Amino acid sequence: MTGVAMPAGFRAAGISAGIKDSGGPDLALVVNDGPEFTAAGVFTRNVIKAAPVLWSQEVLRHNSLRAVVLNSGGANAATGPGGFQDTHATAEKVAAVLDAGAADVAVCSTGLIGERLPMDAVLSGVDTAAAALDTGTEAGLAAATAVMTTDSHPKQTHHTHPGGWSVGGLAKGAGMLAPDLATMLSVLTTDAVVDAGTADRALRAATRVTFDRLDVDGGTSTNDTVLLLASGASGHTPSEADFTALLTEAAAELVRLLRSDSEGATKEVDIVVRGAASERDAVAVGRTVAEDNLVKTALFGSDPNWGRIAMALGRADATIAPETLAISINGVILYAAGTTAASRDDADLSGREIEIVIDLGVGAESATILTTDLSHAYVEENSAYST
Amino acid sequence: MTGVAMPAGFRAAGISAGIKDSGGPDLALVVNDGPEFTAAGVFTRNVIKAAPVLWSQEVLRHNSLRAVVLNSGGANAATGPGGFQDTHATAEKVAAVLDAGAADVAVCSTGLIGERLPMDAVLSGVDTAAAALDTGTEAGLAAATAVMTTDSHPKQTHHTHPGGWSVGGLAKGAGMLAPDLATMLSVLTTDAVVDAGTADRALRAATRVTFDRLDVDGGTSTNDTVLLLASGASGHTPSEADFTALLTEAAAELVRLLRSDSEGATKEVDIVVRGAASERDAVAVGRTVAEDNLVKTALFGSDPNWGRIAMALGRADATIAPETLAISINGVILYAAGTTAASRDDADLSGREIEIVIDLGVGAESATILTTDLSHAYVEENSAYST
């Protein structure tokens, strides 16, 4: 009992439209049947934005969505004005079958950059998907499956509030991990009654501490999109704090699923930065360490190599004082007060889960960045299979 | 006929002091016999600075050096006040054997972070090295060999000016590529007559377009140091422009040698960024692409995957307009005017040398970043061998 079509007022579908050469599922539809159509979105900060991102940013100015159509098998990025017309035509088609306006339809695409989509397949696929729309777990699963690229399994969530409303969701990808196949996409649904301002603030608050803190390889794709659709169908109006909290729980679950399925990952690593002068500093330090290849290869080798962590964080754009810095791995303080605090052999990194705690000792702010190691499988997936 | 001991007025030595467990060469001395002792240095911007960096920055306030002592087998980084005392004692020992002051001696260290140096070995090694000091190629080679960590061969240069003076040099390492063994170190020598201001400006100008543009994995070690020593022994006083030009040539040769010997590298990649609004923008774009693991793994796979290049540069902190951007690989324009310009198959990346040209089309500034691919061998060297 999980997924985007669990909250009341939502239907979903995922079908094979023939966009992928493999013939696998490649087109998903998530439809909000109301009574309300509140929506919010956050998008990639990459200046090279795919056509569907430019489209969806534009339609979300109304803070309202009737549906989201998502395709795998092509990112529709770096495809020029023709690619934008393809996105527009896709939204028009979905609007026609739902008796809505194109401006009520967001579009998400994922796959190879620089290739136009096979529009005949996309447009006939919308008809097929519309006919398959349904509520419940199976429908959400079909949608979550149809957006997969090199994901090994679909990723879904559903969190229920005792107040009688819930949040569902799907997600695919992990940063730019997949070979050629860009993009992290996520759709979150809720049957809570949520106004546009609350939806926008809650989504930004939730993604700031979840999706924005997953950093596998520093990649920010041309297509990254997280959408929230609220149907109001439960009739319950939660407080903004309650809504934000449950939305954050759902997003956090999806992010952990994304990390776990990152290509080539053999370690799931939490980098906890505390004692920072600001949250921005904590995030900057965590991301710099998360993206450092020497740290990541040491983690792959199960090596508690705090020297590489110290090296990496020392180039972060943050307030850092060598004297107050402390570094722990899996509970063992290895560096403190400017020098070695324990033998590296005291820290056991043989398991899949690793926690690195970096205490900057200069303030009271903190942040946790989720990352993985850098393995042979990562290099293999991203080199051998790329053309 | 190459190396630091080719310019008149310089002697060098490299010996086995017993710092490395392997018993290999691990201590080098470069001595300026004058008549002048002008010096300049540039150092890591990492806030976690090794003791020898803190020491050498301090003594270079006088713009004068009699000698540089360099050791491999230990970085003397994150070693607290005791580590700084070790550096001080090493400089005092060199000063004693040369009848100079400790403030005339720079110290460079490279090796494992967080371990104290075996000072008995270091101090007796200084005596051995002082007794071995000599001019010429063999002496420079011994010094260049003694600073090697996981370098596969020593790296030296010597460029002669028709005006009767020359620049020599040695270097080791490549970013933070080596397993646990941090540090890029380089010593440049010249027999030109150069005043302190010229030496400092010329060194900064040369490193800005050479050492600062080598980016293999984004690492900035705790120990990175480039020193310039000028003896004036040729009696010739070049113009600042001539001196800067030859110094830059020598530095550029050392940087190409460092890239070529980067661990695990199977490709030598020039990323040329032009049409940038500023040189800072050009460097930012080049470094972002150079550090992107998806670009680097594609290069390892000989895949002309411009989509990953577009994705990577789109997150650089620079003025970029998708419409004016053009991306070429090995002479073939693959992306222009917002979309695909040629089939990826038209670009042949099978050779070891690859040139990526990114034309931002928004200005007249440019910069070239030198990098490598990300290979299985990189992961192997930096994980399996680290403890």
Side-chain angles (χ1 to χ4, degrees):
Chain A
M1 303 291 279
T2 187
V4 286
M6 287 301 298
F10 287 94
R11 289 179 297 156
I15 58 97
S16 298
I19 305 167
K20 283 180 177 168
D21 290 340
S22 69
D26 50 16
L27 191 128
L29 209 47
V30 179
V31 173
N32 180 357
D33 291 318
E36 299 188 358
F37 303 97
T38 311
V42 295
F43 299 93
T44 182
R45 281 182 283 268
N46 198 305
V47 300
I48 313 285
K49 290 179 169 62
V53 168
L54 297 172
W55 171 267
S56 299
Q57 283 185 313
E58 189 59 31
V59 301
L60 269 166
R61 288 168 182 263
H62 312 297
N63 305 310
S64 175
L65 284 179
R66 180 73 208 282
V68 185
V69 56
L70 311 94
N71 75 274
S72 52
N76 198 4
T79 44
F84 189 81
Q85 286 164 15
D86 292 343
T87 291
H88 187 174
T90 306
E92 288 280 8
K93 174 70 181 175
V94 173
V97 302
L98 295 176
D99 198 17
D104 299 320
V105 180
V107 182
C108 298
S109 299
T110 178
L112 191 67
I113 294 174
E115 304 284 335
R116 294 284 292 274
L117 290 171
M119 286 305 293
D120 287 353
V122 171
L123 297 180
S124 66
V126 169
D127 283 322
T128 311
L133 283 167
D134 203 355
T135 59
T137 291
E138 290 304 311
L141 180 64
T145 302
V147 294
M148 287 168 50
T149 49
T150 54
D151 304 66
S152 70
H153 54 78
K155 297 165 185 74
Q156 300 187 87
T157 187
H158 185 236
H159 285 243
T160 302
H161 192 274
W165 54 278
S166 70
V167 174
L170 65 79
K172 63 81 49 180
M176 276 287 292
L177 252 196
D180 278 6
L181 303 164
T183 308
M184 192 286 300
L185 298 179
S186 180
V187 178
L188 294 156
T189 55
T190 182
D191 48 14
V193 178
V194 185
D195 65 51
T198 301
D200 188 66
R201 286 190 300 272
L203 183 61
R204 288 175 196 285
T207 54
R208 189 173 64 82
V209 296
T210 55
F211 291 103
D212 288 356
R213 295 199 179 163
L214 173 66
D215 189 346
V216 168
D217 55 13
T220 302
S221 100
T222 50
N223 293 55
D224 287 350
T225 300
V226 182
L227 298 173
L228 167 65
L229 284 71
S231 70
S234 72
H236 296 288
T237 308
S239 72
E240 183 165 335
D242 279 357
F243 180 66
T244 302
L246 201 71
L247 188 69
T248 302
E249 271 184 43
E253 182 180 359
L254 289 174
V255 165
R256 284 191 299 271
L257 291 169
L258 290 169
R259 174 175 66 177
S260 169
D261 196 27
S262 289
E263 285 188 12
T266 76
K267 303 286 187 184
E268 298 183 41
V269 186
D270 282 15
I271 301 176
V272 180
V273 182
R274 58 192 187 205
S278 67
E279 185 181 311
R280 197 209 67 82
D281 273 16
V283 171
V285 166
R287 290 185 73 107
T288 303
V289 173
E291 293 175 17
D292 189 274
N293 282 351
L294 286 158
V295 171
K296 294 174 95 71
T297 47
L299 293 170
F300 174 55
S302 298
D303 176 18
N305 192 329
W306 62 264
R308 292 187 185 176
I309 296 169
M311 175 281 296
L313 69 87
R315 63 190 169 88
D317 178 22
T319 301
I320 297 165
E323 323 74 79
T324 62
L325 175 68
I327 300 171
S328 310
I329 308 182
N330 284 355
V332 180
I333 300 174
L334 295 172
Y335 171 91
T339 190
T340 309
S343 164
R344 306 205 303 189
D345 303 336
D346 294 352
D348 177 11
L349 273 63
S350 58
R352 182 173 171 93
E353 295 184 4
I354 295 173
E355 184 186 61
I356 298 171
V357 178
I358 298 166
D359 192 334
L360 298 179
V362 294
E365 300 301 319
S366 64
T368 298
I369 299 293
L370 308 189
T371 192
T372 63
D373 58 339
L374 173 55
S375 69
H376 282 301
Y378 178 95
V379 174
E380 188 66 16
E381 294 274 355
N382 287 297
S383 60
Y385 300 150
S386 45
T387 47
Chain B
M1 304 289 278
T2 187
V4 286
M6 287 301 298
F10 288 94
R11 290 180 296 158
I15 57 97
S16 298
I19 304 167
K20 284 180 177 167
D21 289 339
S22 69
D26 52 16
L27 192 129
L29 210 48
V30 179
V31 174
N32 181 357
D33 290 319
E36 298 188 359
F37 304 98
T38 309
V42 294
F43 300 93
T44 181
R45 282 182 283 268
N46 199 306
V47 300
I48 313 285
K49 290 180 169 61
V53 168
L54 297 171
W55 171 266
S56 298
Q57 282 185 312
E58 188 60 30
V59 301
L60 268 167
R61 289 169 182 263
H62 311 299
N63 306 309
S64 174
L65 285 179
R66 181 72 208 284
V68 185
V69 57
L70 310 93
N71 75 273
S72 53
N76 198 5
T79 44
F84 190 82
Q85 287 164 14
D86 292 343
T87 291
H88 187 174
T90 305
E92 288 279 9
K93 174 69 181 177
V94 173
V97 302
L98 296 177
D99 199 17
D104 300 319
V105 179
V107 181
C108 298
S109 299
T110 179
L112 191 68
I113 294 174
E115 303 284 334
R116 295 284 293 274
L117 291 170
M119 286 306 293
D120 286 354
V122 171
L123 297 179
S124 66
V126 169
D127 283 322
T128 310
L133 283 167
D134 202 356
T135 60
T137 291
E138 289 304 311
L141 179 64
T145 303
V147 294
M148 286 166 52
T149 49
T150 54
D151 304 66
S152 70
H153 54 78
K155 297 165 186 75
Q156 299 187 87
T157 188
H158 185 235
H159 286 240
T160 301
H161 192 273
W165 54 277
S166 69
V167 174
L170 64 80
K172 63 81 46 181
M176 276 286 292
L177 255 194
D180 277 7
L181 302 162
T183 307
M184 194 285 301
L185 298 179
S186 179
V187 178
L188 295 155
T189 55
T190 182
D191 48 14
V193 177
V194 185
D195 64 51
T198 302
D200 187 65
R201 287 190 299 273
L203 183 62
R204 285 174 198 285
T207 54
R208 189 173 63 84
V209 296
T210 55
F211 291 104
D212 287 355
R213 296 198 180 165
L214 174 67
D215 188 347
V216 169
D217 56 11
T220 303
S221 101
T222 50
N223 293 55
D224 287 350
T225 300
V226 182
L227 298 173
L228 167 65
L229 285 71
S231 70
S234 71
H236 294 287
T237 307
S239 71
E240 183 166 333
D242 280 357
F243 181 66
T244 302
L246 200 72
L247 188 69
T248 302
E249 272 184 42
E253 181 179 0
L254 290 173
V255 165
R256 285 191 299 270
L257 291 169
L258 291 169
R259 176 175 65 176
S260 170
D261 197 27
S262 290
E263 285 187 14
T266 76
K267 304 285 186 185
E268 298 183 39
V269 185
D270 281 16
I271 301 176
V272 180
V273 183
R274 58 191 186 205
S278 67
E279 184 179 311
R280 195 208 68 81
D281 273 14
V283 171
V285 167
R287 290 186 74 108
T288 303
V289 174
E291 293 176 17
D292 189 273
N293 281 352
L294 286 160
V295 172
K296 297 174 92 72
T297 47
L299 294 170
F300 173 55
S302 298
D303 176 17
N305 193 330
W306 61 265
R308 292 187 187 176
I309 296 170
M311 174 281 298
L313 68 88
R315 63 188 167 88
D317 179 21
T319 301
I320 297 165
E323 320 78 76
T324 63
L325 175 69
I327 300 171
S328 312
I329 307 181
N330 284 355
V332 180
I333 300 176
L334 296 172
Y335 172 93
T339 189
T340 310
S343 164
R344 307 204 306 190
D345 301 338
D346 295 352
D348 177 11
L349 274 64
S350 58
R352 183 174 171 93
E353 295 185 3
I354 295 173
E355 184 186 60
I356 297 170
V357 178
I358 298 166
D359 192 333
L360 298 179
V362 294
E365 299 301 319
S366 64
T368 298
I369 300 294
L370 308 189
T371 190
T372 63
D373 57 340
L374 173 57
S375 68
H376 282 302
Y378 178 95
V379 174
E380 187 66 17
E381 295 275 354
N382 287 297
S383 60
Y385 300 151
S386 47
T387 45

